[in-house]
Amino acid sequence: MNEDIKTFTISVYTENNIGLLNRISAIFQRRHINIESLTTSQSEIKNVNRFVIVVKITEAQAIKLVGQIEKQVEAIRAYYHTNEETIFTESCMFKIKSELLFDEPQIQNIIKESDSRIVTVNKEFFVLEKSGRRFEIEELREKFEVFGIMQFVRSGRIAVTKDEMKVSELLEAFKNQ
């Protein structure tokens, strides 16, 4: 087994119960593993949520983590995948002074070149949205920092696997219980 540290996306399908996030994060804390990003949402099955957790660890650690997570009562199933096995993206929003949109022609060029989208504009500020890989978002942030950013927020990773996951059948069986 390869013991190189890699970025893994861990997907956890769960019931939606209070306190589960604390128990899952405690598993990482006990092993001194930093969570790079964490996103949770409803999955493809009603009443089943999906956590998408990004960590930099060895494959042996990923296997142990998935096993520990699956021991939680509310955890239905957990998986780990490398970056090469997933399709993933992140989103971000920038809040920037409106005067810059009109006074700095370079701002409009940055927006066009980055495939960003203006969400709203008013007298005081405009809000820009960008989806893509983390490095694209960071590059865009660096370009806007020169002009001043009023607010910035970035989501955690959202991801789907390239290969079919048989979890839908498992979740369907769970739903019918």
Side-chain angles (χ1 to χ4, degrees), residues 12 14 16 21 38-43 49-53 157-158:
V12 184
T14 70
N16 188 12
L21 175 59
L38 185 146
T39 306
T40 184
S41 68
Q42 184 171 341
S43 73
N49 282 16
R50 182 177 178 194
F51 286 75
V52 176
I53 305 166
R157 177 181 288 191
I158 56 173

Side-chain angles (χ1 to χ4, degrees), residues 15-26 51 72 74:
E15 297 177 46
N16 188 12
N17 290 340
I18 294 170
L20 181 59
L21 175 59
N22 283 338
R23 289 193 299 284
I24 288 175
S25 65
F51 286 75
Q72 298 298 311
E74 299 90 347

Side-chain angles (χ1 to χ4, degrees), residues 57-75:
I57 55 178
T58 65
E59 187 171 5
Q61 288 175 304
I63 291 167
K64 287 179 184 175
L65 275 172
V66 165
Q68 281 297 118
I69 291 168
E70 285 185 339
K71 288 180 182 176
Q72 298 298 311
V73 173
E74 299 90 347

Side-chain angles (χ1 to χ4, degrees), residues 22-158:
N22 283 338
R23 289 193 299 284
I24 288 175
S25 65
I27 293 168
F28 290 84
Q29 183 180 12
R30 281 193 299 269
R31 287 173 172 65
H32 302 285
I33 296 171
N34 186 45
I35 295 173
E36 299 287 323
S37 79
L38 185 146
T39 306
T40 184
S41 68
Q42 184 171 341
S43 73
E44 58 271 26
I45 303 295
K46 188 176 178 180
N47 297 324
V48 175
N49 282 16
R50 182 177 178 194
F51 286 75
V52 176
I53 305 166
V54 178
V55 291
K56 291 183 179 177
I57 55 178
T58 65
E59 187 171 5
Q61 288 175 304
I63 291 167
K64 287 179 184 175
L65 275 172
V66 165
Q68 281 297 118
I69 291 168
E70 285 185 339
K71 288 180 182 176
Q72 298 298 311
V73 173
E74 299 90 347
I76 299 166
R77 192 68 207 262
Y79 301 90
Y80 71 93
H81 301 281
T82 64
N83 283 349
E84 295 76 32
E85 298 170 327
T86 58
I87 300 165
F88 59 92
T89 191
E90 296 181 7
S91 293
C92 72
M93 294 176 77
F94 295 90
K95 180 178 173 184
I96 300 171
K97 291 181 183 177
S98 285
E99 64 192 40
L100 293 171
L101 187 59
F102 306 107
D103 297 344
E104 292 286 344
Q106 191 176 357
I107 292 278
Q108 292 182 24
N109 291 336
I110 293 169
I111 293 168
K112 288 176 190 171
E113 291 169 2
S114 68
D115 292 324
S116 301
R117 184 175 69 89
I118 296 176
V119 177
T120 189
V121 179
N122 67 33
K123 288 188 291 186
E124 289 88 39
F125 62 85
F126 70 98
V127 176
L128 191 68
E129 181 270 333
K130 166 75 176 151
S131 293
R133 297 288 177 110
R134 180 164 291 199
F135 76 89
E136 295 171 312
I137 291 170
E138 287 303 316
E139 285 176 3
L140 187 59
R141 183 178 179 171
E142 287 174 15
K143 290 177 183 177
F144 282 133
E145 279 178 344
V146 175
F147 301 100
I149 299 170
M150 296 171 72
Q151 290 182 34
F152 170 78
V153 64
R154 180 180 56 227
S155 73
R157 177 181 288 191
I158 56 173

